[in-house]
Amino acid sequence: MDGPRKAAAKKAAPGKRAPVKKTAAKKSPPRKRPVQSRRPPKPKKRKPPRTLKLGRPTLRLRVTFGVMAFVLSLFAGRLVLLQGVDPDSYALAATRENTKPFVLHASRGAILDRNGVPLSVSEDAVAITADPTQTKPVAQQLARILAPKLPETTYGKLVTAMTGKGRFAYLARKVSPQTWNAIEAELKAKNAEIAQQNKGKPQDQQADLLAGIYTEEDPIRSHPNGTIAANVVGVVGADGKGLAGLEYGMNDKLSGQDGKAMYEVDTKGNKIPNANHTVEEPKPGLTAQLTLDADLQWFAEKRIEQAVKQYKATSGTVITTDVKTNEILAMANYPTFDPNKPVKSSQLYNPALEQVYEPGSVQKVVTMAALADAGYIDLGTKLKVPGSIEVQRRTVRDHFSHGTLNLTIAGVIAKSSNVGTIIAAKEMRIPQFVKYLKDFGFGEPTGLGFPGESRGVMPPGDEWSELTRSQVAFGQGLAANAVQMTAAVNAVANGGVYVPPKLVKNYVDQNGAVVPNPAGPSRRVVSEKAAKEVATMMEAVTAKGGTATQAAIDGYRVAGKTGTAQQVDSACGCYRKWATSFAGFAPADNPRFVTYVVLQNPQNGRSGGGQGGPVFRDVMSYALQKYVVPPTGAKQPVVPLEW
């Protein structure tokens, strides 16, 4: 067995490869794999059914209590946040969500005359409002009920307001209680009808009730005495605030302070009965008691209306004051208006304080008082008065033609001589004259605080030309309002003491407490002697030979002065209009009242004595009789007018 192996080994010695005889490769036949027999799958063992393993009771309780503690801690944390960290903001948010504010309007104070007669008062009324979220589905039905009863609005405007955005809209303001009661009754009747029709119908087929209409207080400003003092009192606008006159000037005092209420409301915005609410009560406004006398005011208004129409004037004013206090008893204007009716803005005007004009010869009362106080004239002064006088190349004449007249100073006043006044005024230095004019109130506010009041026009400075001084001396070249002129004459009647005019006597609060309206400080402008001398000169005006005998009052001594002055027409900037006037007081020897009358641009005649004198006489007579002022019984002094 070793031989063949060795032989084979030799043939295949290392390093020598035995030659291989190449022969064609023989393909071996494919081997057939033995077919394996499939064994049937072993059946799976079924798992036994799962069973609930019962936990231990102690563990289960611990987990339950842990979960509960966690949940409770969340609630506790939220509670701490709400009540401890920021409670106010959450309370405010809840309040905003569930409450609704309502304005409580303060009642506006009344305006009364000196005797308590109402000139302007507030009466109950309502504003009708809507919540469009409720009115939108029934807007047309509501508008058909509201429109016929609310003439200030229209069907279309009502529908628009009730179908708009938001939750509030005004439908009508200043609606009388009677009108609202009629509307409310019709709404209730219509809703009862709708409710009857809805009976037995499915919910989705029922008609909507008429809802979403509300009211709030909205008082009406009423003027029980109509036109009496309308230019003085003024009017109130739709918002309840003054638009003109004292209603505007005293608005802060009259209007008071509104209050407010917060009510809990339901989802539709309706108040919840008996729910929590807070109320801040309104503070009523003060009542203003004026110095005006309604009776005298009425008479003065009727009399100046008659004069304006008679003489075809543009307008007219009458003012009557109490001499000692300078309280204004009457401030009548014509044209006027009825404040209970719609008023144009152009009518909201008080000429007595807002219109200025050159006063004319009534100004001579002030000039003579200044000259008498300074010692330049007295009742014995005699002047030679030519028909005209030249001042700085300007010729000044009297209103009547005449040659040279020998006039006393009383004659100069009685005949209203411009030339004589210029001659007398030349004696006084211009700065001294200007100071007197300012002391008499010219160029300064009256102190009444009336809205729109004009302070008048005074030439600036005190270095006037001779021509300016001469013109001002007889009432041209400066401008004043009617109250300023009345106050100046009142100072002479009051023995030379200027008392600022007064229109508001006092205020009355809601408890009836009276708060006096303090008057401005008085001042002496001329001596008592000078004032009496001028009063005597003025008596000559209403006596025989004077320019205003029509102003005389039987049984009484009357002092007065006429005025006729050219006025500038703004259309041309030239003098072509006129103002005629008369100022006076009675009894002249113990003055009680001053009355001043002015007519603007009369077309039927032009005379201060002939036009203003009769109005003065009638109004002054009424005042003397109403206040039971008896004649003094003293005889009027005879004062020579010529020498």
Side-chain angles (χ1 to χ4, degrees):
M1 291 179 65
D2 292 339
R5 286 197 197 97
K6 288 181 180 178
K10 286 180 180 180
K11 288 179 181 180
K16 290 183 180 181
R17 181 175 290 183
V20 179
K21 188 178 180 179
K22 295 182 180 180
T23 58
K26 293 182 180 180
K27 295 182 180 179
S28 59
R31 295 180 178 180
K32 293 182 180 180
R33 294 181 180 180
V35 179
Q36 297 179 355
S37 59
R38 295 182 180 177
R39 294 179 181 178
K42 295 181 180 180
K44 294 182 180 180
K45 295 182 179 181
R46 291 185 178 180
K47 293 182 180 181
R50 293 181 180 180
T51 57
L52 179 63
K53 295 181 179 180
L54 298 176
R56 289 172 294 175
T58 303
L59 179 60
R60 185 168 64 250
L61 288 173
R62 286 177 181 175
V63 172
T64 302
F65 282 126
V67 173
M68 291 177 64
F70 176 72
V71 173
L72 290 175
S73 67
L74 293 179
F75 283 112
R78 185 63 174 168
L79 187 62
V80 171
L81 182 64
L82 290 174
Q83 295 189 350
V85 178
D86 192 14
D88 293 338
S89 63
Y90 289 99
L92 181 60
T95 299
R96 289 175 177 171
E97 184 69 23
N98 300 317
T99 61
K100 183 178 179 180
F102 294 86
V103 176
L104 303 177
H105 295 287
S107 59
R108 189 175 180 86
I111 298 179
L112 313 175
D113 88 330
R114 66 186 301 110
N115 300 310
V117 176
L119 300 175
S120 181
V121 296
S122 293
E123 296 180 350
D124 291 338
V126 297
I128 301 178
T129 65
D131 181 347
T133 62
Q134 300 177 58
T135 58
K136 187 175 293 185
V138 291
Q140 293 182 352
Q141 296 107 298
L142 287 170
R144 281 194 289 269
I145 294 174
L146 296 172
K149 297 178 176 61
L150 302 174
E152 67 274 16
T153 188
T154 64
Y155 174 87
K157 290 180 179 179
L158 289 169
V159 171
T160 301
M162 289 187 287
T163 56
K165 297 180 179 180
R167 297 201 59 181
F168 181 88
Y170 277 112
L171 302 182
R173 304 290 302 269
K174 311 296 181 186
V175 178
S176 68
Q178 295 81 3
T179 300
W180 169 245
N181 289 339
I183 291 172
E184 190 175 33
E186 189 167 348
L187 288 174
K188 288 181 179 179
K190 188 64 177 176
N191 278 332
E193 181 182 335
I194 295 172
Q196 184 65 30
Q197 293 173 353
N198 286 339
K199 281 185 177 181
K201 291 183 179 180
Q203 186 70 32
D204 59 348
Q205 296 181 15
Q206 291 184 1
D208 294 319
L209 294 175
L210 305 183
I213 300 297
Y214 304 95
T215 62
E216 62 181 38
E217 291 184 5
D218 193 21
I220 294 174
R221 201 62 169 172
S222 172
H223 301 259
N225 288 287
T227 61
I228 293 180
N231 303 85
V232 180
V233 172
V235 296
V236 170
D239 59 355
K241 296 180 180 179
L243 289 179
L246 294 177
E247 293 278 21
Y248 176 80
M250 300 189 300
N251 189 69
D252 290 343
K253 291 183 172 64
L254 294 170
S255 57
Q257 184 176 342
D258 288 345
K260 61 181 179 180
M262 299 291 291
Y263 289 96
E264 287 192 37
V265 295
D266 59 20
T267 56
K268 293 184 177 180
N270 300 317
K271 295 179 186 178
I272 300 176
N274 301 321
N276 293 331
H277 64 275
T278 59
V279 177
E280 182 181 326
E281 295 294 341
K283 296 180 180 178
L286 296 176
T287 289
Q289 187 170 19
L290 307 186
T291 60
L292 298 180
D293 181 315
D295 292 336
L296 182 59
Q297 177 76 20
W298 173 83
F299 184 84
E301 286 182 4
K302 294 302 180 185
R303 190 61 185 86
I304 194 64
E305 176 184 359
Q306 180 184 357
V308 168
K309 292 178 177 179
Q310 180 180 356
Y311 301 115
K312 299 181 180 179
T314 304
S315 64
T317 297
V318 178
I319 297 173
T320 296
T321 61
D322 183 290
V323 170
K324 298 301 179 185
T325 62
N326 206 13
E327 292 181 351
I328 300 175
L329 303 177
M331 186 186 290
N333 299 283
Y334 187 83
T336 184
F337 59 89
D338 186 347
N340 292 315
K341 299 178 181 178
V343 181
K344 296 180 181 178
S345 58
S346 59
Q347 295 175 289
L348 302 176
Y349 177 65
N350 183 5
L353 284 160
E354 298 180 59
Q355 183 174 13
V356 297
Y357 53 94
E358 296 180 67
S361 294
V362 172
Q363 177 68 21
K364 292 171 184 172
V365 173
V366 176
T367 301
M368 294 303 172
L371 292 171
D373 184 68
Y376 294 111
I377 64 169
D378 57 29
L379 288 175
T381 299
K382 299 176 181 179
L383 300 175
K384 280 189 173 292
V385 181
S388 65
I389 187 171
E390 188 171 301
V391 181
Q392 291 185 320
R393 302 179 187 178
R394 293 285 298 274
T395 299
V396 180
R397 295 183 173 83
D398 284 332
H399 64 92
F400 62 101
S401 299
H402 63 82
T404 299
L405 298 175
N406 296 327
L407 298 178
T408 64
I409 199 67
V412 170
I413 290 294
K415 296 184 179 296
S416 196
S417 172
N418 296 336
V419 176
T421 302
I422 292 173
I423 293 172
K426 278 185 176 182
E427 301 298 320
M428 180 178 284
R429 292 171 46 251
I430 291 175
Q432 187 180 16
F433 183 42
V434 172
K435 183 181 183 304
Y436 273 111
L437 292 173
K438 290 182 177 179
D439 287 346
F440 271 100
F442 292 99
E444 300 294 334
T446 62
L448 293 177
F450 193 90
E453 175 188 342
S454 173
R455 63 191 302 162
V457 180
M458 274 266 288
D462 58 4
E463 296 297 330
W464 297 352
S465 66
E466 283 293 327
L467 180 61
T468 298
R469 188 259 301 276
S470 298
Q471 290 176 323
V472 171
F474 65 82
Q476 298 275 184
L478 85 165
N481 63 49
V483 173
Q484 286 176 317
M485 286 307 306
T486 307
V489 175
N490 193 90
V492 174
N494 195 34
V497 176
Y498 180 92
V499 180
K502 191 173 183 179
L503 184 57
V504 180
K505 192 174 182 66
N506 52 52
Y507 298 98
V508 183
D509 66 18
Q510 58 180 322
N511 299 317
V514 177
V515 181
N517 182 34
S522 301
R523 59 181 181 268
R524 179 166 288 282
V525 292
V526 297
S527 67
E528 185 175 1
K529 176 177 178 293
K532 286 185 176 180
E533 287 180 336
V534 174
T536 301
M537 298 177 200
M538 293 172 68
E539 283 194 77
V541 173
T542 62
K544 186 177 180 180
T547 54
T549 56
Q550 302 96 320
I553 301 174
D554 290 342
Y556 291 87
R557 290 173 58 179
V558 176
K561 183 67 192 79
T562 60
T564 304
Q566 289 179 300
Q567 304 297 311
V568 175
D569 187 342
S570 58
C572 65
C574 58
Y575 281 106
R576 68 179 185 187
K577 291 186 176 182
W578 295 83
T580 59
S581 57
F582 185 90
F585 48 88
D589 51 332
N590 186 21
R592 177 65 192 278
F593 302 117
V594 168
T595 294
Y596 178 63
V597 182
V598 59
L599 293 167
Q600 297 293 340
N601 200 31
Q603 301 298 309
N604 189 7
R606 191 164 61 234
S607 167
Q611 296 175 337
V615 179
F616 165 88
R617 179 195 62 220
D618 294 343
V619 174
M620 178 62 77
S621 297
Y622 187 97
L624 293 170
Q625 293 173 16
K626 183 178 186 340
Y627 286 87
V628 196
V629 179
T632 60
K635 291 184 178 182
Q636 182 173 344
V638 178
V639 180
L641 305 182
E642 298 182 7
W643 55 277

